[in-house]
Amino acid sequence: MELMSQPFSGQLGDRLIELLCSADYHTLNIAVAFAKNSGVLRIKDLLAQFRGRGGTVNVHVGVDLGGTSYEALTALLLHTDLLNVVHSERSQTFHSKIYQFTGENNGLLVVGSHNLTGGGLWTNFESSVHIPIDGEGAGEAKILKEVGVYFNELAALEASFMPITSQDEVDRLLSEGYVDKEVADRVRRASAAKKDGSKKRLFGTGTPAKLPRLTPVEEELPTPADPTPTETAAIEVEDLDQTIWFETRAMTGGSRNILDLSKRSLIESGDPSGTPFDLGEANFMRGGVEFFGLSPTATDQIANITINFEGKDYFGNTILYPEGSNANGTWRLQIKGVNSSDQKITDAFRDEGETHYLVRKVITFTKVQDDYFYMSVFPELHLRNSKRLQKFWQEMAVAGMPSFWVCFRSGTAILGVCPSERH
């Protein structure tokens, strides 16, 4: 038996990766309160490999306290055999954290505080007991029986236990307000935490804890023409994940799928000093292209990124600085990737029921690592709602806060801060 004290004596996410790669196990049962893309996307390929070897993955997840996102459920639906949501309408929180690996001759039971999030699996202070099952311990049969009874009791909750078997059911949870898209949830939390903006910070920044690097395989894909201008953008920076916003207009190109990325922006209000957006100039700050890891002045660079959209990875989305008659002095992101099933991301957009899905929308990209992002799309209304928070963001001081927002409006920038979140 082992006690893991994350991050001091290890990180559960690294242990899960090791166990998923092992041929010793054929079943993984998970029960967690919260799931976010920050955790799910970092293990989804291992879940796929585990299942590809004949393994079974069963996940039970709660939707309380805004801890589970629409994006995470969408990704889990694609990478599990059974996905179930547990929720009580009586303010009774589903708060379990159990990971059970079972094999022919052995197993491992992990019980602790780790949610299926980037924080829970890697960066938070967490604790868990790891109980090996090898047939030799006197209490093994008893604890295995108790775990089995627990999962059976969850399934017997009837109306408080919902099997998720299709994307329509995930979409219904979104439309009914049981889950939210991750960026929208951060906006909501920023509004709710307004009083914390002026609170004196009494503590330090903890201890370093690294997230694993992912290595999605990119494919060689053709580059479409006809780049597209974009009107406005906003950037959020957090220690764990970083998110950039774009508010689109009538985009050009056959699929209306190409975004302009600014080199730099005029500061309308706020002070970027000491932040990643500090350009060292009195009235200007860094623009959106640097979010994707490119130098705005190195215009001969070309980068290909992987975009996760609706749970699927699309490879070969190109960032470049165009020249010639179509150039307008900005970088451009061509959203034209293809997934492992040879489906184009533009076809996935059409599956959403709109010919030009990205036109007049709010598009967000959240960085998982430098070349890998997940994308969410919102109606314009969501951004209008977020504008109501601008006064709040502007009133809060950048200094000393763990995260902040930068909103680009027609070539100008407004700085404000919002609290980071951890689960």
Side-chain angles (χ1 to χ4, degrees), residues 145-168:
K145 179 179 178 181
E146 290 170 344
V147 171
V149 167
Y150 177 69
F151 282 113
N152 288 336
E153 288 176 336
L154 290 179
L157 287 174
E158 297 181 351
S160 291
F161 183 87
M162 178 184 293
I164 304 298
T165 60
S166 70
Q167 186 62 41
D168 287 344

Side-chain angles (χ1 to χ4, degrees), residues 4-198:
M4 174 178 282
S5 298
Q6 179 179 297
F8 302 115
S9 61
Q11 294 164 296
L12 182 60
D14 290 343
R15 189 70 189 277
L16 292 183
I17 289 173
E18 173 189 333
L19 295 168
L20 286 166
C21 291
S22 171
D24 293 340
Y25 308 105
H26 57 65
T27 302
L28 169 59
N29 295 315
I30 298 175
V32 289
F34 307 143
K36 291 286 181 72
N37 250 358
S38 57
V40 176
L41 291 187
R42 287 181 167 91
I43 66 168
K44 69 175 180 60
D45 290 342
L46 281 303
L47 294 175
Q49 293 175 21
F50 184 82
R51 296 174 69 211
R53 297 195 306 269
T56 300
V57 178
N58 306 314
V59 174
H60 304 70
V61 62
V63 292
D64 298 295
L65 308 175
T68 293
S69 70
Y70 169 84
E71 291 91 344
L73 286 181
T74 296
L76 285 171
L77 179 63
L78 296 173
H79 296 287
T80 59
D81 295 276
L82 292 175
L83 176 60
N84 304 297
V85 167
V86 183
H87 177 68
S88 169
E89 301 286 5
R90 196 174 53 185
S91 299
Q92 183 180 31
T93 302
F94 181 68
H95 214 244
S96 295
K97 289 94 175 178
I98 299 172
Y99 300 81
Q100 180 191 24
F101 284 87
T102 302
E104 295 297 334
N105 301 309
N106 57 5
L108 182 72
L109 179 64
V110 177
V111 181
S113 63
H114 308 262
N115 279 306
L116 191 53
T117 66
L121 297 183
W122 281 283
T123 62
N124 285 352
F125 294 103
E126 308 278 2
S127 298
S128 55
V129 175
H130 298 209
I131 306 170
I133 308 295
D134 55 18
E136 298 181 0
E140 288 184 5
K142 180 175 183 294
I143 196 168
L144 285 177
K145 179 179 178 181
E146 290 170 344
V147 171
V149 167
Y150 177 69
F151 282 113
N152 288 336
E153 288 176 336
L154 290 179
L157 287 174
E158 297 181 351
S160 291
F161 183 87
M162 178 184 293
I164 304 298
T165 60
S166 70
Q167 186 62 41
D168 287 344
E169 290 166 328
V170 179
D171 292 342
R172 183 183 178 190
L173 290 173
L174 176 68
S175 65
E176 297 291 339
Y178 288 95
V179 297
D180 211 338
K181 292 191 176 182
E182 296 194 9
V183 174
D185 181 59
R186 291 176 188 174
V187 171
R188 178 180 59 81
R189 290 175 182 273
S191 178
K194 179 175 180 178
K195 292 182 180 180
D196 289 339
S198 59

Side-chain angles (χ1 to χ4, degrees), residues 161-316:
F161 183 87
M162 178 184 293
I164 304 298
T165 60
S166 70
Q167 186 62 41
D168 287 344
E169 290 166 328
V170 179
D171 292 342
R172 183 183 178 190
L173 290 173
L174 176 68
S175 65
E176 297 291 339
Y178 288 95
V179 297
D180 211 338
K181 292 191 176 182
E182 296 194 9
V183 174
D185 181 59
R186 291 176 188 174
V187 171
R188 178 180 59 81
R189 290 175 182 273
S191 178
K194 179 175 180 178
K195 292 182 180 180
D196 289 339
S198 59
K199 183 186 295 183
K200 185 178 180 180
R201 301 293 156 175
L202 301 179
F203 296 92
T205 56
T207 187
K210 294 183 178 180
L211 289 161
R213 177 166 178 80
L214 303 176
T215 54
V217 179
E218 294 188 359
E219 303 175 6
E220 292 296 326
L221 299 171
T223 300
D226 207 352
T228 300
T230 301
E231 297 296 331
T232 62
I235 296 176
E236 175 195 9
V237 174
E238 292 189 86
D239 294 337
L240 186 59
D241 291 319
Q242 303 175 7
T243 300
I244 187 168
W245 300 52
F246 293 95
E247 182 182 9
T248 68
R249 289 294 184 261
M251 301 165 66
T252 60
S255 297
R256 304 294 195 268
N257 62 326
I258 301 175
L259 300 176
D260 277 6
L261 305 175
S262 60
K263 287 183 177 181
R264 66 176 189 167
S265 184
L266 179 68
I267 299 170
E268 181 176 306
S269 66
D271 181 4
S273 301
T275 75
F277 300 101
D278 187 357
L279 191 59
E281 299 182 27
N283 298 316
F284 290 90
M285 59 178 288
R286 300 181 187 277
V289 66
E290 293 191 58
F291 175 85
F292 294 95
L294 286 87
S295 169
T297 59
T299 56
D300 58 341
Q301 289 181 303
I302 295 178
N304 285 299
I305 64 172
T306 299
I307 293 175
N308 183 278
F309 175 68
E310 300 294 341
K312 297 179 181 179
D313 289 342
Y314 294 86
F315 309 102

